């Protein structure tokens, strides 16, 4: 599905690019509402889905099952390390995962295997901050 390039779509794209890490459609809509754009939540959802389908945005499901998006920094298949605390996202190559996925699929007679691997944890800054909180407490 090709979306028309409207001012609303461009504004959602800009807001997504300005966001740090992955964001939900609801939080992106809240930021757009604060800027008095008049862009509705349905438009945000529709635009994010279109950007993800066209490879302009990464999309993943949070551990809570919520769809999250971010402006795609690199084209093609890739994986992420995502901080559960601050949202910092690092794109990673995962050669071992790629080989495992294709080998596992082939073992079970599957071809054209696709997969999604996103690793959630705490970045070093958030780990240090939590350690400091424990030491102070």
């Amino acid at each position: 599905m090709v979306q028309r390039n409207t001012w609303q779509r461009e504004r959602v794209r800009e807001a997504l690019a300005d966001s740090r890490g992955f964001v939900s459609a609801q939080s992106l809509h809240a930021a757009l509402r604060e800027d008095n754009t008049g862009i509705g939540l349905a438009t945000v959802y529709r635009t994010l889905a279109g950007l993800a389908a066209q490879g302009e945005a990464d999309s993943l499901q949070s551990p809570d099952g919520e769809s999250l998006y971010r402006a795609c920094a690199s084209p093609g298949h890739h994986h992420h390390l995502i901080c559960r605390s601050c949202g910092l996202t690092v794109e990673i190559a995962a050669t071992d995962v790629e080989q495992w996925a294709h080998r596992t699929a082939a073992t079970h007679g599957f071809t054209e295997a696709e997969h999604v691997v996103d690793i959630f944890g705490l970045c070093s800054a958030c780990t240090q901050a939590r350690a400091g909180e424990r030491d102070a407490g």
Side-chain angles (χ1 to χ4, degrees), residues 72-86:
C72 193
S74 63
H77 182 73
H78 55 274
H79 305 283
H80 306 101
L81 289 170
I82 305 152
C83 181
R84 285 190 308 258
S85 182
C86 71

Side-chain angles (χ1 to χ4, degrees), residues 19-130:
S19 298
R20 182 170 188 246
F22 283 86
V23 295
S24 69
Q26 301 247 353
S27 62
L28 196 62
H29 177 253
L32 290 165
R33 191 174 55 237
E34 285 179 16
D35 290 343
N36 294 317
T37 63
I39 297 172
L41 182 58
T43 299
V44 173
Y45 272 107
R46 190 172 41 253
T47 301
L48 290 173
L51 292 172
Q54 294 174 337
E56 294 183 51
D58 288 324
S59 173
L60 60 84
Q61 246 186 344
S62 74
D64 301 327
E66 183 176 25
S67 292
L68 303 175
Y69 302 87
R70 80 174 189 130
C72 193
S74 63
H77 182 73
H78 55 274
H79 305 283
H80 306 101
L81 289 170
I82 305 152
C83 181
R84 285 190 308 258
S85 182
C86 71
L88 174 69
T89 302
V90 178
E91 291 186 2
I92 58 171
T95 306
D96 293 343
V97 170
E98 301 299 328
Q99 293 170 353
W100 170 83
H102 290 287
R103 191 173 54 249
T104 301
T107 298
H108 295 280
F110 282 69
T111 62
E112 300 181 34
E114 296 180 9
H115 63 277
V116 176
V117 175
D118 295 307
I119 303 169
F120 292 86
L122 294 177
C123 69
S124 60
C126 289
T127 299
Q128 288 176 356
R130 285 205 178 166

Side-chain angles (χ1 to χ4, degrees), residues 2-36:
V2 176
Q3 292 182 325
R4 291 181 312 149
N5 200 19
T6 63
W7 72 267
Q8 294 96 330
R9 178 179 166 83
E10 192 57 36
R11 187 62 190 94
V12 170
R13 182 186 285 124
E14 289 170 5
L16 188 62
D18 292 343
S19 298
R20 182 170 188 246
F22 283 86
V23 295
S24 69
Q26 301 247 353
S27 62
L28 196 62
H29 177 253
L32 290 165
R33 191 174 55 237
E34 285 179 16
D35 290 343
N36 294 317

